Amino acid sequence: MSTDVGSGAGPDTTATDAGAGATAGGSPSSSINPASVRAVAKKDFRDSIRSWVFWGLSVFFFTLLVATTGVISYFGEDIAAQGETTEALVAMVNGITRLVIPLIALILGWKAIAGERESGSIKVLLSLPHSRKDVLLGKLIGRAAVLSVSLIVGFVLAALVVVALLGSFDIVDYGGLLVMSIIYGLAYTSIAVAVSSLTRSTTVAGAGMIGIFVLFYILWDTMLVAFMTLMNMGYLPEGETTAQVMLFFNSLDPGMAYQNVLSLVTSVGDLDGQTVMMLENMFGSVPFYLQDWFAFVILLAWIVVPIAIALFRFDRVDL
């Protein structure tokens, strides 16, 4: 009997030690517990409400929409006469949120994991117990919820002002912009949290956020210009293949995908007839990577791929 108890205790102790080792040094087999993910996300979201981050963002998006609506109402008599006020609002707000949402998402995700590691509080989180995957996914969902719900609050409150000032309101276009803005924000939040998980230094993480922004808003276009310059100078072959590569590369930019995907759910963003004709003359038809459904796939990929890589790596690093 005593032998049976001893042999039973042995494996239990080993399992406990293995679990402790997994928490300290990382384990490729750590599982995902939905309840733990939800708990981490809920705490993250509540903390943002206490710090007024959520309310500040809600006011910001409300003000953005109201200000844009006011501009259209005051200066856009021709637009109003044509009954295209909501389309104009969507197009103008899209141009602004394409730049602003990434900035907000990168700031929200900056200290998501790096801050916890730098302060040592990550070890407290992992002892509750939450696995590393739970913490990473919970942080992503919590930060994404802050951005998403603030967008919803801002858009819903501003809708009343939009109707009052513009006199007409297309809820499909307006709602489509909101949905795609949330997805766009989730993509950048995923990138930000993934980058934050790569380091235990908030300084390095902050530099990474700046690097991400510079990559997509400066270097990406610069690379395209360099690509075209090399082609014009004869260092790259001219022709359909080169043009296809350039256009495909451009379509991978999250901001470009956000702009292109609007035509999937709104009346804004469709390729004009002249552009369609040019593409058909060049390639025989509009390439799949310039179509709105592919832009949606690109946004989904920017959500899934960064956090998937982070989940794999974060499980294997020393804290």
Side-chain angles (χ1 to χ4, degrees):
M1 179 67 69
S2 61
T3 304
D4 292 338
V5 173
S7 60
D12 289 342
T13 304
T14 303
T16 303
D17 292 342
T23 301
S27 169
S29 60
S30 67
S31 59
I32 297 175
N33 183 343
S36 291
V37 173
R38 186 166 56 251
V40 174
K42 186 181 295 185
K43 179 184 181 301
D44 219 45
F45 185 76
R46 285 176 176 172
D47 288 345
S48 73
I49 294 178
R50 294 192 192 100
S51 66
W52 291 89
V53 172
F54 166 76
W55 301 110
L57 288 176
S58 298
V59 170
F60 170 78
F61 289 121
F62 171 80
T63 305
L64 170 63
L65 286 161
V66 170
T68 307
T69 302
V71 170
I72 294 174
S73 175
Y74 188 79
F75 295 104
E77 294 181 1
D78 293 338
I79 295 174
Q82 297 171 12
E84 298 177 350
T85 49
T86 308
E87 290 90 332
L89 175 65
V90 169
M92 290 181 67
V93 172
N94 169 254
I96 299 171
T97 52
R98 180 181 175 181
L99 176 67
V100 170
I101 287 178
L103 281 172
I104 294 172
L106 291 173
I107 292 172
L108 284 174
W110 166 31
K111 294 184 179 181
I113 301 297
E116 300 279 5
R117 293 177 68 184
E118 188 174 71
S119 66
S121 57
I122 187 73
K123 295 179 180 179
V124 177
L125 271 176
L126 292 173
S127 67
L128 288 179
H130 303 308
S131 72
R132 296 188 181 201
K133 289 187 175 72
D134 294 338
V135 172
L136 197 57
L137 288 175
K139 288 289 184 179
L140 171 61
I141 294 171
R143 302 296 162 110
V146 173
L147 180 54
S148 300
V149 178
S150 62
L151 273 166
I152 293 171
V153 171
F155 268 66
V156 170
L157 292 178
L160 301 175
V161 181
V162 171
V163 173
L165 291 180
L166 298 185
S168 64
F169 182 70
D170 188 330
I171 193 171
V172 174
D173 281 355
Y174 193 78
L177 174 63
L178 171 59
V179 170
M180 289 307 163
S181 296
I182 290 173
I183 294 174
Y184 182 50
L186 183 54
Y188 264 100
T189 305
S190 177
I191 295 171
V193 172
V195 171
S196 181
S197 72
L198 297 177
T199 176
R200 59 169 58 92
S201 166
T202 55
T203 302
V204 175
M209 302 306 157
I210 295 172
I212 292 295
F213 188 81
V214 170
L215 170 64
F216 287 121
Y217 285 89
I218 298 178
L219 295 182
W220 203 273
D221 290 339
T222 302
M223 286 187 285
L224 283 172
V225 172
F227 204 66
M228 293 178 63
T229 302
L230 290 173
M231 185 178 67
N232 293 333
M233 294 176 64
Y235 291 104
L236 291 175
E238 295 186 19
E240 179 179 328
T241 301
T242 304
Q244 293 257 23
V245 170
M246 290 175 58
L247 290 172
F248 179 75
F249 177 78
N250 192 40
S251 72
L252 298 180
D253 172 19
M256 183 59 66
Y258 174 54
Q259 178 179 309
N260 293 341
V261 79
L262 280 183
S263 62
L264 189 65
V265 291
T266 73
S267 56
V268 177
D270 286 320
L271 295 174
D272 59 77
Q274 186 176 357
T275 302
V276 171
M277 186 179 300
M278 180 189 70
L279 292 171
E280 289 178 344
N281 289 336
M282 290 177 64
F283 309 122
S285 62
V286 178
F288 72 90
Y289 49 81
L290 295 181
Q291 298 178 26
D292 48 21
W293 67 266
F294 187 76
F296 185 69
V297 172
I298 291 297
L299 285 180
L300 292 182
W302 280 114
I303 295 171
V304 173
V305 174
I307 201 65
I309 295 173
L311 285 169
F312 177 81
R313 186 186 180 281
F314 189 56
D315 233 8
R316 291 161 172 77
V317 298
D318 292 330
L319 298 178

